[in-house]
Amino acid sequence: MSAPSVPPVSPAPPDLPTLPAPARPMPDRDWVAEAVRRVEADANRSADTHLHVFPLPVEWGIDLYLKDESVHPTGSLKHRLARSLFLYALTSGWLGPDTPVIEASSGSTAVSEAYFARLLGLSFVAVMPACTSPEKIALIEFYGGRCHLIDDPRGIYAESHRLAEETGGHFMDQFTYAERATDWRGNNNIAESIFEQLRLERHPVPRWVVVGAGTGGTSATIGRYVRYRRHDTGLCVVDPDGSAFFEGWSRGDSEVTAVGSRIEGIGRPRVEPSFVPSVVDTMLRVPDAASVAAMRHLLGVTGQRAGGSTGTNLWGALTLVGRMRAAGERGSVVTLICDGGDRYAHTYYDDAWVAAQGLDLAPYARRLAAFTATGTLESGDVR
């Protein structure tokens, strides 16, 4: 009888590599749970933002709505983003009870993040261009934050990384994480809120939603949401002078750079990582003088005092309304009131500042004043 065969002995598995220790100790789970509860409780205390009607001739069959994000506790659209960024950082294990929070910002995001940092007892430093409005700086300091101002806006990213490393802090990095920190499927994000508030209107599914791009997070959320919900809605991103987004989108080149924008909160010197060009249906470039003229026009027509980025949005929305009217289309258009105008008393609402910037508002103001008669902004002395 032959000996039973013996299966070959498998070689011993190699030793598993040793995983590196975390860069900083993992935060206490009880502290994280309490921090998340505080941030969620803040959201639970806040009502939804209003959707205002902008007056247009009824016979046009086109309705224009403005989603008023200035009524958030910190006065801007960035309150939603800051809440999402803090929840993302907390649930990712990046924040502990003694972690300094660093952010690169042109102002409004830093105001909102300073608010949430104070809510959690964390120190906060905002790295911002030196040209940021004094009203925004005062608000950041009111919420306990510190402003670190630099002359070249393109240096805010490197300086934020440096400060985070130097202090053992966490760089929140809104420009990278904005598009992933917000749940674009719903969960009361801005897109879901818009469509719910339009539900009883005569054109409940808007033909266009018009937004600017600062991080790109809002356009990414709305663009993904309308595709996920299968709405026949176009996404238009408006872009101010000096921004890289329009050229980057037009050329399909994410490496495009520019000088940066004078319209705070939107427009960047580079195409930010959170900008998702594939969900954008069209882009419009809006001159800075048109943005400021439209911002002031909004105040005259509705009494709503808003900032420069809202003016950019309104100019773009009215441009699309004019195109719809010329094509015989009926429907609705939605855009955003991004923040209140009190933050810009010494800039966009200051005639001396506007003149010093070389901005001639008159030709754009004339077009806006005549819009209900002409039905277009795209002629004559505007581009």
Side-chain angles (χ1 to χ4, degrees):
M1 176 182 290
S2 60
S5 60
V6 178
V9 177
S10 301
D15 292 336
L16 293 175
T18 302
L19 296 176
R24 65 171 68 99
M26 296 298 291
D28 178 78
R29 289 285 291 273
D30 290 339
W31 181 88
V32 171
E34 172 59 15
V36 169
R37 185 199 66 77
R38 292 185 188 185
V39 175
E40 291 283 82
D42 175 83
N44 199 48
R45 291 192 298 270
S46 302
D48 202 355
T49 59
H50 309 304
L51 194 65
H52 301 300
V53 177
F54 185 90
L56 294 175
V58 175
E59 61 270 20
W60 289 6
I62 301 171
D63 300 322
L64 175 57
Y65 301 91
L66 295 92
K67 179 86 165 143
D68 188 1
E69 295 293 287
S70 72
V71 298
H72 283 294
T74 54
S76 83
L77 167 69
K78 300 299 186 179
H79 193 85
R80 293 181 188 267
L81 173 59
R83 180 193 297 132
S84 295
L85 288 168
F86 267 85
L87 288 173
Y88 192 75
L90 286 165
T91 55
S92 298
W94 297 339
L95 294 179
D98 301 310
T99 308
V101 178
I102 317 296
E103 183 60 287
S105 172
S106 61
S108 287
T109 302
V111 173
S112 299
E113 288 190 13
Y115 169 93
F116 283 104
R118 186 177 74 171
L119 185 71
L120 302 183
L122 302 177
S123 63
F124 178 76
V125 179
V127 181
M128 302 188 301
C131 60
T132 302
S133 70
E135 290 84 359
K136 286 184 179 178
I137 293 172
L139 281 170
I140 294 165
E141 293 173 346
F142 172 79
Y143 288 121
R146 179 170 68 85
C147 298
H148 184 84
L149 305 179
I150 63 174
D151 292 326
D152 185 352
R154 293 170 295 183
I156 63 174
Y157 317 98
E159 186 65 6
S160 297
H161 281 292
R162 186 190 70 78
L163 284 175
E165 184 175 349
E166 181 181 280
T167 62
H170 171 63
F171 175 27
M172 196 67 83
D173 197 0
Q174 59 167 323
F175 298 108
T176 295
Y177 294 106
E179 58 89 11
R180 67 194 73 172
T182 300
D183 183 357
W184 48 266
R185 298 169 188 84
N187 194 21
N188 196 33
N189 67 34
I190 191 169
E192 184 178 61
S193 177
I194 288 170
F195 280 86
E196 176 60 26
Q197 289 178 315
L198 285 172
R199 186 169 51 86
L200 300 181
E201 301 299 311
R202 63 173 177 168
H203 304 298
V205 176
R207 175 65 189 89
W208 290 101
V209 176
V210 180
V211 299
T215 62
T218 300
S219 60
T221 297
I222 294 172
R224 288 165 169 165
Y225 181 86
V226 298
R227 286 161 174 75
Y228 177 61
R229 294 298 182 188
R230 303 178 300 283
H231 292 308
D232 187 21
T233 298
L235 173 65
C236 173
V237 172
V238 287
D239 207 35
D241 287 338
S243 172
F245 288 121
F246 182 85
E247 290 298 333
W249 181 82
S250 299
R251 299 181 191 176
D253 182 3
S254 63
E255 301 301 315
V256 168
T257 59
V259 297
S261 171
R262 288 179 291 191
I263 305 300
E264 290 186 27
I266 58 173
R268 303 294 307 160
R270 69 176 191 180
V271 179
E272 299 295 351
S274 280
F275 181 65
V276 182
S278 55
V279 303
V280 178
D281 295 291
T282 193
M283 288 193 70
L284 297 176
R285 174 168 280 167
V286 179
D288 289 349
S291 295
V292 178
M295 173 193 80
R296 295 183 175 198
H297 181 72
L298 177 68
L299 177 61
V301 172
T302 69
Q304 181 75 47
R305 190 176 173 88
S309 58
T310 300
T312 312
N313 287 345
L314 181 60
W315 185 272
L318 291 175
T319 298
L320 291 177
V321 167
R323 292 182 183 181
M324 289 174 65
R325 183 168 180 265
E329 290 185 55
R330 292 174 174 263
S332 57
V333 178
V334 181
T335 192
L336 308 180
I337 296 174
C338 301
D339 60 3
D342 290 345
R343 299 179 177 190
Y344 308 100
H346 293 91
T347 53
Y348 307 130
Y349 285 104
D350 183 340
D351 290 340
W353 183 91
V354 170
Q357 295 292 313
L359 299 175
D360 182 8
L361 308 189
Y364 303 98
R366 286 195 296 269
R367 292 292 172 193
L368 289 161
F371 179 75
T372 54
T374 65
T376 184
L377 296 177
E378 297 182 296
S379 61
D381 47 16
V382 300
R383 58 187 170 116

